[in-house]
Amino acid sequence: MQARYRKVEEENKEFADRYIEIEEQNNNLANLYVASYQLHSTLDYKEVVRIVQEIVINLIGAEAFHIYIVGEKTGELELEASEGQDGAVATIPLGEGLIGKAAKTGENFFADRVAWQDPTPFQEPIAVIPLKIKDSVIGIISINKLLIQKRAFTTMDHELFTLLAGHAATAIFSAKLYSASARKLTTLQGFLDMLKTQPK
């Protein structure tokens, strides 16, 4: 009888653990959906970058990180935003260091150890996630410190990195195109208005 009771107790514990795991997965799926929706909810470039920052902080649990975008004219990584760490360089040539190499190859980088008390040196990130549209890298996210309670990257984090690599890249690229076309339209409209006011 005692053996049967222990067996039932073990089964109940397994069921409870599985239930908690499924609840966590459902919560994570909901977070993924919200993050994806937010990324595509605006065409304002600065707002899109801010949303990417919020996703990296709130869903991935990063405390210190940097966002670089590939410059159209220079072809180099240009610093777009930083959080939790000073001293990031303004531009990084593709292929230079861990960050430039990840941008050139399009492959994620993860350090063996990710839990640190203080941010790692800027040039020694614990993770680098290229932002890609198909095979084209349009930028990267370089992480130098996780929140204190986060000791490792989970499977969910890797799914979020995949989401960021695609959705964030598309949202940033679309917002940049929209901003550029809006500026050109404004310039063109101003030119047409000037022509209309010219004396005949």
Side-chain angles (χ1 to χ4, degrees):
M1 194 72 174
Q2 282 181 338
R4 182 162 174 75
Y5 175 78
R6 279 196 298 270
K7 187 179 179 185
V8 170
E9 198 173 43
E10 284 174 14
E11 287 175 355
N12 284 344
K13 186 179 182 310
E14 285 175 15
F15 178 77
D17 290 344
R18 182 71 182 135
Y19 177 80
I20 290 168
E21 188 181 322
I22 289 169
E23 279 294 300
E24 188 177 331
Q25 286 177 350
N26 284 341
N27 185 49
N28 288 335
L29 284 171
N31 287 337
L32 282 172
Y33 172 78
V34 170
S36 179
Y37 176 80
Q38 284 181 325
L39 279 171
H40 299 287
S41 65
T42 180
L43 284 171
D44 181 273
Y45 180 72
K46 291 191 182 300
E47 182 70 6
V48 170
V49 172
R50 187 191 62 76
I51 291 168
V52 171
Q53 286 179 273
E54 285 183 4
I55 291 170
V56 175
I57 294 168
N58 297 323
L59 296 187
I60 292 173
E63 189 175 311
F65 61 91
H66 312 279
I67 299 172
Y68 281 85
I69 303 297
V70 176
E72 293 174 16
K73 295 178 181 176
T74 64
E76 296 185 340
L77 292 169
E78 298 174 356
L79 184 64
E80 189 62 45
S82 281
E83 185 75 36
Q85 185 181 38
D86 295 326
V89 297
T91 58
I92 301 173
L94 296 187
E96 186 176 290
L98 290 173
I99 298 168
K101 185 179 177 185
K104 188 173 184 179
T105 63
E107 295 177 8
N108 291 343
F109 165 80
F110 299 104
D112 294 330
R113 179 183 169 192
V114 299
W116 296 88
Q117 187 70 27
D118 298 308
T120 58
F122 165 75
Q123 67 277 11
E124 298 173 23
I126 58 174
V128 183
I129 301 97
L131 305 177
K132 298 190 290 187
I133 297 176
K134 289 195 176 178
D135 294 327
S136 298
V137 175
I138 65 119
I140 63 97
I141 296 171
S142 171
I143 300 174
N144 292 81
K145 185 181 185 308
L146 297 175
L147 295 171
I148 197 72
Q149 66 269 23
K150 196 171 180 75
R151 311 300 298 171
F153 290 124
T154 64
T155 303
M156 192 62 197
D157 291 324
H158 290 286
E159 289 180 26
L160 278 166
F161 293 144
T162 302
L163 171 104
L164 279 175
H167 286 268
T170 305
I172 288 170
F173 186 72
S174 299
K176 279 187 89 170
L177 280 179
Y178 179 80
S179 297
S181 63
R183 279 195 307 272
K184 286 177 184 173
L185 183 61
T186 303
T187 303
L188 185 59
Q189 188 62 51
F191 181 68
L192 290 173
D193 290 343
M194 187 178 72
L195 286 176
K196 286 178 186 175
T197 59
Q198 291 292 321
K200 294 182 179 179

